Amino acid sequence: MSAIVQVKNLTKTYASGFTAFDGVNLDIEEGEIIALLGPNGAGKTTLISTICGITQPSSGQVTVGGFDVVKNYRDARRLIGLVPQELSLEAFETVRNSVLFSRGLFGKSRNVEFVEETLRKLGLGDKMDSRINQLSGGMKRRVLIAKALAHEPRVLFLDEPTAGVDVELRKDMWNVVEDLRKDGVTIILTTHYIEEAEAIADRIGVINKGRILLVQDKHELIAQMGRKELRIDLADPIAAVPDALANYCLKLVEGGQSVTYSYDTRAERTGITALLRDMQSAGLQMRDLQTRQSSLEEIFVDIVKETT
Amino acid sequence: MNLAAIKAIYLFEMARFFRTFRQSIIAPVISTSLYFVVFGAAIGSRIDTVDGIGYGAFIVPGLIMLSVMTQSTSNAAFGIYFPKFTGSIYEILSAPVNFFEVTVGYVGAAATKSLVIGFIILATSFFFVDVTILHPVSMIAFLLLTCLSFSLLGFIIGIWAGNFEQLNLIPMLIITPLVFLGGSFYSTSMLPPFWQAVTMFNPVHYLISGFRWSFFEQADVPVAISLGAISVFTLICLTTIWWIFRTGWRIRS
């Protein structure tokens, strides 16, 4: 795979002196789904806006498909589709005309069949002649995606695609994204829903205070940075953790019926063997054992905490 | 040149016009008819002629200019302000288009709308007075240039405006007074010398004068000067728009 989007030392400082992001470097591979994860105000939307040409960079360079987004803006922008966070649509226009407008804007010839096919794929087949203001919020979000896809882009930016939508629609939207990936579209999405990034992204970039803290394969990230938890169910409940086990920082759960032990998978020694031995020496009878991987959410919170 | 983008913007804007076609047409027809009733029939009957032209016919070019200038300005201002207001301007800003293509699309549509309204007012006037057009080509050229230049001005206002109040501020406080005081309903020769001199600083006066010449071969200032004034005005507007898109003023952060 080759990088279809390359961001080099990108900085955006506003006239007020506020720096939205500073020295951002990012390579996005063709065909992947990358999620930019960060809290509100982290700089996610500004970064996307700068790549798409809505915001002017202060310094640095962005290329899309090898084209500089400033110097060769026409070639670069033809490859990009953008779905904004806000439901920004012309309320009184029909769905079909709104999408045809977007296609024309990007220099493509009027192709009603293609536009209608795109609308059908997005579940808007029966809404083509409806006016935008007659649609629900979820449908409007789909129209925005259709508009972004109207000129057949190779790269699609989704800015908080499921912000404020219900769980059912969110999962529906994930299916749409998965279908787009199958069509070969590279997808960059921003989100502050960790669950979303975990569910659909190949790679995850964590951004906070205008800096990309890391970009990594989702599974590697969870494996490398994740903490695991060992839960030991006891044959007989205990009122307190014996003094001999104080070093393990065990937590009593289920009214003393179980204890949990947290450990780092990256550590040379996890301490599990020693714990089990010492528990036996302390006279605790074990009934069952189970381990649990910490979620991306917990990892994300840890990373953000480290930088705050 | 992204011709498809120009066409898309133009058609999208014209669609807005056709959605409110009845309202767009009926409003100017009614207001023009009222002007003819008040100024033409009621007051005009007490005025013999102005520069040898019946008063009812004399005000026709001024009435057309009044509507065309205000309509061009407000149509173009609204055309670009509305996407800013709804946020859908992001599409224009992220599309492979330059300032010229965006301007041609929006301003072209606004100018077309006001041109149509101008012709409708002209047609309406035939029901009230006898109007002769001695130089029809010149009349159309002046009308077209006025539609274009004031649509350009409206486009700038639309970009500048931060809210709906500001959107109406310049048309209401500047353009309407300039049109009224620019000789829409009188010849400047009817004014005392001091006010005649003041009128010479009103750019709209040159346009109305040139436009009226196309009808009656009567003008307050030479036609060449009128043509020069409107050309300079158009050039200033175009340069301003070019600067706006180059710097991103009020549209690109």
Side-chain angles (χ1 to χ4, degrees):
Chain A
M1 285 202 293
S2 59
I4 190 162
V5 178
Q6 287 190 308
V7 180
K8 290 178 190 164
N9 292 320
L10 197 68
T11 298
K12 175 64 188 176
T13 304
Y14 288 96
S16 63
F18 171 72
T19 299
F21 51 82
D22 188 15
V24 167
N25 289 290
L26 182 65
D27 278 3
I28 296 163
E29 308 296 329
E30 184 152 22
E32 74 169 331
I33 299 178
I34 182 166
L36 292 176
L37 205 59
N40 290 330
K44 307 184 294 288
T45 299
T46 313
L47 179 60
I48 280 190
S49 298
T50 309
I51 296 172
C52 295
I54 295 169
T55 302
Q56 292 168 322
S58 303
S59 64
Q61 191 194 31
V62 180
T63 59
V64 177
F67 299 110
D68 187 296
V69 297
V70 176
K71 290 177 192 156
N72 310 108
Y73 70 95
R74 284 190 195 267
D75 292 317
R77 291 182 190 177
R78 280 196 182 98
L79 301 175
I80 300 173
L82 169 65
V83 181
Q85 189 178 150
E86 304 294 330
L87 297 174
S88 313
L89 289 158
E90 177 88 24
F92 304 107
E93 193 48 87
T94 64
V95 170
R96 185 191 281 103
N97 283 348
S98 184
V99 179
L100 278 168
F101 166 71
S102 303
R103 185 173 168 85
L105 205 54
F106 279 76
K108 287 273 184 179
S109 61
R110 193 178 163 89
N111 185 339
V112 180
E113 290 76 25
F114 175 80
V115 165
E116 289 184 349
E117 183 56 30
T118 305
L119 288 170
R120 272 192 286 272
K121 275 186 187 173
L122 290 164
L124 293 165
D126 57 341
K127 302 287 181 193
M128 291 182 200
D129 296 310
S130 301
R131 285 206 313 226
I132 306 272
N133 61 357
Q134 296 170 326
L135 303 181
S136 66
M139 288 292 174
K140 283 179 186 164
R141 185 77 62 186
R142 284 163 187 262
V143 175
L144 283 174
I145 296 178
K147 283 168 79 67
L149 293 173
H151 62 282
E152 302 160 64
R154 282 168 59 196
V155 183
L156 183 68
F157 287 89
L158 294 158
D159 193 4
E160 305 272 3
T162 57
V165 304
D166 61 41
V167 177
E168 194 182 348
L169 190 63
R170 189 176 301 165
K171 294 204 169 147
D172 219 16
M173 201 64 74
W174 295 350
N175 292 334
V176 169
V177 170
E178 190 51 43
D179 287 345
L180 290 172
R181 185 237 289 271
K182 282 177 191 158
D183 290 343
V185 180
T186 304
I187 294 164
I188 298 103
L189 67 96
T190 68
T191 183
H192 56 261
Y193 294 125
I194 288 92
E195 185 195 8
E196 186 159 276
E198 201 166 0
I200 57 176
D202 300 314
R203 285 198 303 158
I204 289 168
V206 178
I207 180 167
N208 192 28
K209 293 188 171 177
R211 287 189 170 274
I212 292 199
L213 306 175
L214 66 87
V215 180
Q216 207 164 5
D217 177 89
K218 176 179 67 183
H219 301 295
E220 278 177 21
L221 181 65
I222 294 170
Q224 284 180 21
M225 301 199 70
R227 293 185 70 78
K228 285 190 98 173
E229 195 178 74
L230 171 68
R231 179 180 164 137
I232 305 162
D233 294 338
L234 302 172
D236 301 305
I238 53 172
V241 175
D243 290 343
L245 302 173
N247 291 340
Y248 295 101
C249 299
L250 298 178
K251 284 182 194 162
L252 278 181
V253 291
E254 303 275 341
Q257 192 65 63
S258 308
V259 292
T260 59
Y261 169 62
S262 185
Y263 62 97
D264 190 343
T265 53
R266 294 168 298 170
E268 201 176 320
R269 288 174 187 276
T270 60
I272 293 172
T273 314
L275 170 67
L276 296 178
R277 189 185 57 229
D278 290 348
M279 281 181 74
Q280 203 170 15
S281 305
L284 298 177
Q285 292 296 312
M286 289 165 269
R287 194 160 55 87
D288 198 4
L289 297 174
Q290 47 189 307
T291 61
R292 188 180 71 84
Q293 180 85 51
S294 59
S295 71
L296 194 55
E297 179 157 357
E298 289 158 333
I299 299 168
F300 171 69
V301 169
D302 285 347
I303 295 169
V304 171
K305 257 188 198 165
E306 280 170 24
T307 59
T308 359
Chain B
M1 179 76 82
N2 189 345
L3 291 174
I6 296 174
K7 188 180 162 192
I9 296 171
Y10 181 85
L11 292 178
F12 201 70
E13 282 302 299
M14 289 308 291
R16 197 203 310 275
F17 178 62
F18 289 118
R19 274 200 300 271
T20 56
F21 190 69
R22 274 180 295 185
Q23 178 195 323
S24 308
I25 300 305
I26 289 170
V29 168
I30 288 176
S31 61
T32 308
S33 303
L34 286 173
Y35 275 116
F36 277 118
V37 170
V38 174
F39 288 100
I43 298 172
S45 60
R46 292 168 187 271
I47 301 171
D48 195 10
T49 57
V50 179
D51 295 338
I53 305 155
Y55 187 67
F58 179 84
I59 63 170
V60 170
L63 274 179
I64 295 173
M65 276 290 174
L66 175 67
S67 285
V68 159
M69 285 175 185
T70 50
Q71 288 286 331
S72 299
T73 312
S74 58
N75 282 335
F78 189 78
I80 190 69
Y81 178 75
F82 201 58
K84 271 176 60 185
F85 177 71
T86 61
S88 59
I89 188 86
Y90 83 89
E91 264 199 300
I92 302 285
L93 298 177
S94 60
V97 288
N98 63 19
F99 99 95
F100 183 74
E101 291 149 359
V102 175
T103 308
V104 170
Y106 278 106
V107 169
T112 306
K113 294 174 202 174
S114 44
L115 196 66
V116 169
I117 289 167
F119 279 118
I120 287 171
I121 293 171
L122 181 62
T124 310
S125 69
F126 286 117
F127 290 102
F128 294 91
V129 287
D130 286 330
V131 183
T132 49
I133 304 166
L134 294 175
H135 301 284
V137 175
S138 163
M139 188 276 285
I140 291 169
F142 262 106
L143 193 61
L144 200 61
L145 274 171
T146 307
C147 290
L148 276 176
S149 56
F150 276 78
S151 295
L152 286 169
L153 176 67
F155 191 70
I156 295 167
I157 293 168
I159 290 172
W160 164 77
N163 53 49
F164 279 101
E165 189 190 359
Q166 288 179 345
L167 197 66
N168 292 317
L169 202 67
I170 291 182
M172 195 172 64
L173 292 184
I174 298 176
I175 294 171
T176 306
L178 283 181
V179 179
F180 267 90
L181 300 173
S184 301
F185 300 107
Y186 56 83
S187 165
T188 49
S189 61
M190 295 160 80
L191 296 171
F194 173 76
W195 289 109
Q196 278 191 36
V198 170
T199 306
M200 288 299 157
F201 291 98
N202 180 354
V204 173
H205 167 60
Y206 297 91
L207 307 184
I208 294 175
S209 172
F211 192 53
R212 185 168 285 137
W213 176 86
S214 309
F215 282 76
F216 313 118
E217 262 183 4
Q218 294 281 345
D220 292 331
V221 289
V223 183
I225 292 180
S226 291
L227 214 56
I230 197 166
S231 303
V232 169
F233 180 58
T234 308
L235 208 62
I236 290 170
C237 290
L238 269 175
T239 310
T240 309
I241 293 170
W242 169 80
W243 174 82
I244 286 171
F245 275 83
R246 197 177 69 86
T247 59
W249 181 74
R250 294 261 185 175
I251 50 171
R252 213 184 282 274
S253 56

